Amino acid sequence: RKEVEQDPGPFNVPEGATVAFNCTYSNSASQSFFWYRQDCRKEPKLLMSVYSSGNEDGRFTAQLNRASQYISLLIRDSKLSDSATYLCVVVHSGYALNFGKGTSLLVTP
Amino acid sequence: GAVVSQHPSWVICKSGTSVKIECRSLDFQATTMFWYRQFPKQSLMLMATSNEGSKATYEQGVEKDKFLINHASLTLSTLTVTSAHPEDSSFYICSARDPLAGRGDTQYFGPGTRLTVL
């Protein structure tokens, strides 16, 4: 079983739509959780950290359920510029990041 | 935010040659750097953790004699792919950890190096 699992998509949504991505992780000792965004042929960029209490940054909301080992990302009012691959990232020991394969999002006009 | 550079951004080489990739933290001192590899439509996979002044720690399945890592200073780590073969063609990305950043697990990624071995 992979450490971090995501639905690869692609998710095709119209501009203005709300879209949600899910991620599960296998190591219950995992300590830190992030969502990264990766554009085609570019390096990943940190979108937001994920906290147990849930956190929001503008149109983006991230939630963590430790009991279910589940992380989510909600994007409201989708923009064309949100089109990218969203990577779920988990840290369980040291500082090394464990990446999911990513969920592809395409926002259409 | 912090900046990490990589050089070269892309390289094409013949099978059997060695390729060196540099990763630099430009405005902070990175005690730890990480090297990742990403094949098309795959996730980033950690290859090794590079600690300044000590030997790198390699992930299972990564040949340390093939992927040589040197972290001689707090701002530079190098990855040398020795005797490269076509199956080594990939996107190599480094990241650097800023120990003074708000969160100890904050990492900054370089722009990546696309290696193509003919």
Side-chain angles (χ1 to χ4, degrees), chain A residues 31-34 36 38 40-46 49-51 87 91 94-102, chain B residues 32 34 36 38 41-46 49 59 91 93 95 97 103-112 114:
Chain A
Q31 302 163 350
S32 304
F33 310 88
F34 307 91
Y36 276 74
Q38 186 175 27
C40 189
R41 302 174 80 85
K42 299 283 190 183
E43 77 277 21
K45 292 189 189 298
L46 178 65
S49 303
V50 188
Y51 303 112
L87 305 171
V91 178
Y95 300 101
L97 305 181
N98 294 285
F99 285 85
K101 286 179 72 171
Chain B
T32 308
F34 302 88
Y36 296 84
Q38 185 177 32
K41 298 191 187 301
Q42 299 295 315
S43 59
L44 277 79
M45 295 298 295
L46 179 67
T49 301
E59 295 299 300
F91 190 44
I93 309 175
S95 71
R97 177 179 159 259
R103 286 183 58 144
D105 47 16
T106 300
Q107 293 185 27
Y108 302 94
F109 282 85
R114 195 159 299 278

Side-chain angles (χ1 to χ4, degrees), chain B residues 10-87:
Chain B
W10 59 270
V11 58
I12 302 173
C13 69
K14 290 182 180 179
S15 186
T17 58
S18 293
V19 175
K20 181 189 278 191
I21 303 170
E22 293 185 349
C23 177
R24 291 181 188 274
S25 57
L26 298 184
D27 53 1
F28 66 98
Q29 293 185 323
T31 51
T32 308
M33 289 184 172
F34 302 88
W35 286 96
Y36 296 84
R37 180 168 56 181
Q38 185 177 32
F39 292 106
K41 298 191 187 301
Q42 299 295 315
S43 59
L44 277 79
M45 295 298 295
L46 179 67
M47 298 175 68
T49 301
S50 170
N51 296 300
E52 187 266 337
S54 64
K55 289 184 179 179
T57 305
Y58 289 81
E59 295 299 300
Q60 193 171 14
V62 178
E63 300 173 57
K64 63 180 182 186
D65 295 329
K66 180 171 178 63
F67 298 98
L68 302 179
I69 291 173
N70 184 287
H71 194 156
S73 79
L74 285 170
T75 59
L76 173 65
S77 175
T78 61
L79 168 69
T80 301
V81 183
T82 61
S83 186
H85 290 283
E87 58 266 29

Side-chain angles (χ1 to χ4, degrees), chain A residues 8-98:
Chain A
F11 284 59
N12 293 333
V13 303
E15 254 185 306
T18 296
V19 61
F21 304 139
N22 302 320
C23 167
T24 57
Y25 59 96
S26 60
N27 191 324
S28 59
S30 298
Q31 302 163 350
S32 304
F33 310 88
F34 307 91
W35 282 101
Y36 276 74
R37 170 196 169 126
Q38 186 175 27
D39 292 284
C40 189
R41 302 174 80 85
K42 299 283 190 183
E43 77 277 21
K45 292 189 189 298
L46 178 65
L47 181 65
M48 59 196 305
S49 303
V50 188
Y51 303 112
S52 296
S53 54
N55 49 301
E56 187 174 309
D57 182 2
R59 297 181 294 110
F60 299 84
T61 301
Q63 297 212 307
L64 166 65
N65 184 321
R66 283 189 185 268
S68 302
Q69 296 180 203
Y70 168 96
I71 305 158
S72 66
L73 175 69
L74 183 77
I75 305 176
R76 289 181 299 277
D77 189 22
S78 300
K79 311 288 185 194
L80 296 177
S81 57
D82 293 334
S83 298
T85 297
Y86 290 83
L87 305 171
C88 178
V89 179
V90 172
V91 178
H92 59 76
S93 65
Y95 300 101
L97 305 181
N98 294 285

